[in-house]
Amino acid sequence: MTKKFIFSVLAILSFWLSLKEANAQNVTVSIPEHKLWYDTPASEWLEALPVGNGRIGAMVFGDPKNERIQLNEDSMWPGGPDWGNAKGNPEDLKYIRELIEEGQIEKADKEIVERFSYKGIVRSHQTLGDLYMDFHERGTVENYKRLLNLNTAEVVISYTSEGSAYYQKVFTSAPDDVLVIELVTNAEKGMNLTLRLDRPEDEGHPTVQINNPHSSEIAMNGVVTQYGGRVHSQPAPLDYGVQFETVLKTDHEGGKVTPKDGTLILQGVKKATIKLVANTSFYTKDFRNRNREVLDRLSGVGYEKLYERHVQDHQKYFNRVQFQLSKNKSSSLPTDRRLQNLAKGEEDLDLVSDLFQFGRYLLISSSRPGTNPANLQGLWNDHLAAPWNADYHLNVNLQMNYWPAEVTNLSEFHQPLFDFTDRLIERGRITAREQYGIERGAVAHQATDLWASAYMRAEQPYWGSWIHGGGWLAQHYWEHYNFTRDREFLEERAYPAIKSFAEFYLDWLVWDKKSKKWVSFPETSPENSYINEEGKRAAVSFGSAMGHQIIGEVFDNVLAAAEILNIEDDFIVEVREKNKSLFPGIVVGPDNRLLEWNEAYEETEKGHRHLSHLYALHPGDDITQATPHAFAAARNSIDFRLKHGGAGTGWSRAWMINFDARLLDGESAKSNVDKFMQISPAKNLFDLHPPFQIDGNFGFTAGIAEMLLQSHEGFLRILPALPEAWKEGSISGLKARGNIEVDIIWENGKLKELILKANKNRLQKIVYAEREVEVDLPAGKKVRLNAKLQIKNSILQKKRRL
């Protein structure tokens, strides 16, 4: 064993021991920023720590005696794209519209499901399996520490046993497409352990075959099945799906490695480097050859080189944004203890920045260019039949996953959403034509999965009979252009996608003689219902706020894109004309709240978790301070929901943070930040809806960014919703629309310095508090402004008071 290695192990142990001693003496010790750490192993999945490279993920438990590393791959889905594209036909649509016009809403609710819906579906994203490391003859464990380092994207476990040091590090490399585990000890006799791979049975059916292809390898081959599958709310066993292979290879120093019955037995090993690769038939027919190619390429590549490439790649993205709320660190306490203190009402500003960066870490880890988009659980799922199939819900959840992508400077990680939506559009065109008789354009309903089916799936109309999944996704194409100003992307990707949904809406809308407006129906407001004229619960309606807000946004964006691209044709003329006469999505009711449906109906759940009719406030941009009547009505709508128990945990609470930020209400935003942190995170900081849904993590990160910087109004708002308690802080590397990087420093609750860098020359309007300026930003150069928004050492400024 080298002196360098002995020193590194002793240094780590010295750090942890000093930390333990300092805690005992009640002394504050600083831990480098953005590390979650614990002094016990994970006892359950929601305590394990996540790593991922976009496609391959793992949950590390850190058990020093019987370690479990639960594995994931993002294309592990049963079945295939073979359940058709539509149910029902244009005559069914005509019939349901007649029922609604006649006021037979109860019947319309029933018929829309019976005629159009695939009803209940069980076809789930699934676990890849588990890697177990069973350590032999392990004595009493002391000085145990387990951490997730967000800055280096690795899990580190260290402890001592019988006077010897043990050290485990786990990361998933994107540049090398491999999960890497290093095990090290300074024990004179080395380590004795058994490595094995396994995967749960599917309702009694084995799901994998395991063998030793070489003396230092384990291979696990299988097909993703779902014997408990369902469609149309009826059993539909799936004995076919994505094929996969996982291969583990180990290199070692000291001792020996012996293959036995699909396991590897390590004896007397001082150091072991485990490389695990996995590929599936979804990505390539030659997935087994792909595994072999990766392992062959990495043959002889040591742990240090793999680690160096991994960290360099991760930090290229992660380090773009730095965020600090307080100079006083509280991370000398284990993360689970800090969460306990939060639940008691204690403040932990440092954990706010950790949770913000955790969201960015999760996006980098679960959504890389070339992979599938992050699903309801991102990438990490230990089930064969996950809650809600761990699929793609399109009525807020998938979109919320990508809210932080642009503003927190991770535009590249938005790409999987566009690749997936392009596939969804292809099938959505067939659904629109076959189901609704609409020959042009595409539709996507409330949920979909790996196979990008666009059909309706719902046993109840109030949560599934919704046609705007695609329309909402269209916003992401436009926002990506807005933030990056990538004209090629606008022309080749964004405009065609937005146009496809605009075409559908053009032919979907119906002229209402009474209002003399184009109306969308049948409509629903996800996942809410109302009391109709007969005093009964109803879901479908003659128009809804969210539906018209999304349609109007799609029309606005396709017109704006066409203007940039110099497109003027019959399609654009038609969009412009129908947009002028579209039923308004923003209507203030008699109680000064925004209407959720075209009529002032009473909600069946006054505190409902969805606030769909506030789409135009966020993530849309039609409700701003410049529309004071609607702005106030949005505030009233939120207050009403909260008064009746709204928001709750998870994504709904995270959305509330974003709403409050857009309402320029820092104190309400902070109240929801605090509430989220008190009730939503699991011990590993995964968001609990419950159960685990990753959207809340992403929504939280986006909400914090929205509190500090906004650019949706056509100018930059600096610190628009800064709470009084956040006295001092700094954030660097945020992105504003127009491709502008923004750094903000504040002290005593006031702006101290603002630093801007644009990629092209531009004159930029900036608003802070009661001050408004226009500043010339030269391409590629940082411009520094002081608290009065004056350019430092420059008179190139145009300033006026609001």
Side-chain angles (χ1 to χ4, degrees), residues 46 223 266 299 360 441 448 588 656 735-736 740 743:
L46 283 170
V223 177
L266 284 65
S299 178
R360 297 183 67 248
T448 184
V588 179
M656 196 69 72
K735 267 293 190 73
I740 304 169
D743 303 349

Side-chain angles (χ1 to χ4, degrees), residues 44-102:
E44 58 183 43
W45 192 83
L46 283 170
E47 296 177 5
L49 297 173
V51 294
N53 68 358
R55 187 179 66 83
I56 301 173
M59 296 290 286
V60 184
F61 284 67
D63 189 322
K65 296 186 178 181
N66 299 106
E67 170 67 311
R68 176 190 177 193
I69 298 179
Q70 187 265 318
L71 307 171
N72 278 111
E73 200 277 346
D74 71 2
S75 64
M76 291 286 291
W77 285 82
D82 58 348
W83 280 354
N85 293 286
K87 181 184 175 186
N89 56 56
E91 290 303 312
D92 293 321
L93 176 61
K94 180 181 178 182
Y95 174 64
I96 290 166
R97 283 177 166 168
E98 289 173 351
L99 291 176
I100 294 171
E101 289 176 324
E102 294 168 1

Side-chain angles (χ1 to χ4, degrees), residues 279-557:
N279 273 281
T280 76
S281 60
F282 177 81
Y283 286 104
T284 173
K285 293 181 179 179
D286 295 327
F287 59 95
R288 293 184 179 88
N289 287 336
R290 170 64 181 162
N291 279 337
R292 185 51 52 190
E293 289 171 1
V294 173
L295 288 175
D296 288 348
R297 174 170 50 83
L298 298 181
S299 178
V301 179
Y303 171 84
E304 289 75 14
K305 189 65 177 179
L306 291 170
Y307 179 72
E308 178 185 350
R309 290 198 292 236
H310 158 72
V311 171
Q312 184 178 21
D313 173 79
H314 173 74
Q315 292 185 344
K316 177 172 64 175
Y317 305 108
F318 186 81
N319 287 354
R320 288 174 179 173
V321 173
Q322 301 294 328
F323 179 37
Q324 185 174 350
L325 272 182
S326 172
K327 295 177 182 178
N328 299 318
K329 294 293 180 183
S330 57
S331 50
S332 59
L333 291 175
T335 303
D336 50 351
R337 207 169 305 161
R338 294 167 71 187
L339 289 172
Q340 292 172 5
N341 291 340
L342 277 174
K344 297 174 184 177
E346 294 185 17
E347 190 84 88
D348 190 341
L349 296 181
D350 193 37
L351 193 55
V352 175
S353 61
D354 286 341
L355 192 54
F356 168 86
Q357 291 287 28
F358 187 56
R360 297 183 67 248
Y361 167 83
L362 293 174
L363 187 61
I364 294 170
S365 302
S366 64
S367 180
R368 288 258 181 169
T371 70
N372 288 302
N375 63 38
L376 272 177
Q377 295 190 190
L379 174 62
W380 301 277
N381 167 29
D382 63 335
H383 302 278
L384 295 187
W388 298 289
N389 295 315
D391 61 17
Y392 300 110
H393 275 48
L394 308 181
N395 64 2
V396 66
N397 311 100
L398 177 59
Q399 290 88 344
M400 186 179 285
N401 285 0
Y402 288 90
W403 286 356
E406 302 297 337
V407 70
T408 72
N409 214 337
L410 295 174
S411 290
E412 299 93 330
F413 301 89
H414 221 155
Q415 291 296 333
L417 184 68
F418 305 133
D419 295 340
F420 178 78
T421 305
D422 287 348
R423 293 199 291 123
L424 187 63
I425 289 170
E426 292 179 20
R427 296 193 67 180
R429 289 184 181 278
I430 302 171
T431 304
R433 183 173 63 252
E434 293 181 357
Q435 186 162 306
Y436 298 126
I438 293 177
E439 295 295 329
R440 54 179 180 166
V443 65
H445 291 84
Q446 175 261 354
T448 184
D449 57 28
L450 178 74
W451 309 113
S453 54
Y455 47 66
M456 184 185 299
R457 52 176 78 189
E459 292 179 311
Q460 297 294 332
Y462 66 90
W463 63 265
S465 301
W466 188 71
I467 63 162
H468 299 293
W472 192 338
L473 288 170
Q475 184 199 66
H476 285 254
Y477 288 85
W478 177 248
E479 288 288 61
H480 182 72
Y481 166 74
N482 257 340
F483 276 91
T484 64
R485 295 302 163 96
D486 183 342
R487 184 185 174 94
E488 182 179 349
F489 175 83
L490 179 67
E491 184 172 11
E492 297 182 3
R493 300 288 301 273
Y495 182 76
I498 302 170
K499 180 181 178 181
S500 69
F501 296 113
E503 287 176 324
F504 173 82
Y505 288 139
L506 287 175
D507 294 341
W508 169 265
L509 292 170
V510 176
W511 181 254
D512 176 32
K513 295 179 181 178
K514 181 180 178 181
S515 64
K516 293 183 171 51
K517 299 289 183 182
W518 292 102
V519 175
S520 171
F521 84 107
E523 275 286 359
T524 60
S525 188
E527 300 170 5
N528 209 354
S529 55
Y530 63 94
I531 306 298
N532 66 15
E533 289 86 349
E534 298 175 352
K536 296 181 179 180
R537 177 172 176 164
V540 300
S541 62
F542 186 76
S544 73
M546 187 187 213
H548 290 126
Q549 288 171 16
I550 289 176
I551 294 170
E553 179 184 77
V554 168
F555 286 171
D556 287 345
N557 291 345

Side-chain angles (χ1 to χ4, degrees), residues 6 269 286 530 547 555 602 615:
I6 294 173
V269 172
D286 295 327
Y530 63 94
F555 286 171
E602 180 184 353
Y615 178 93

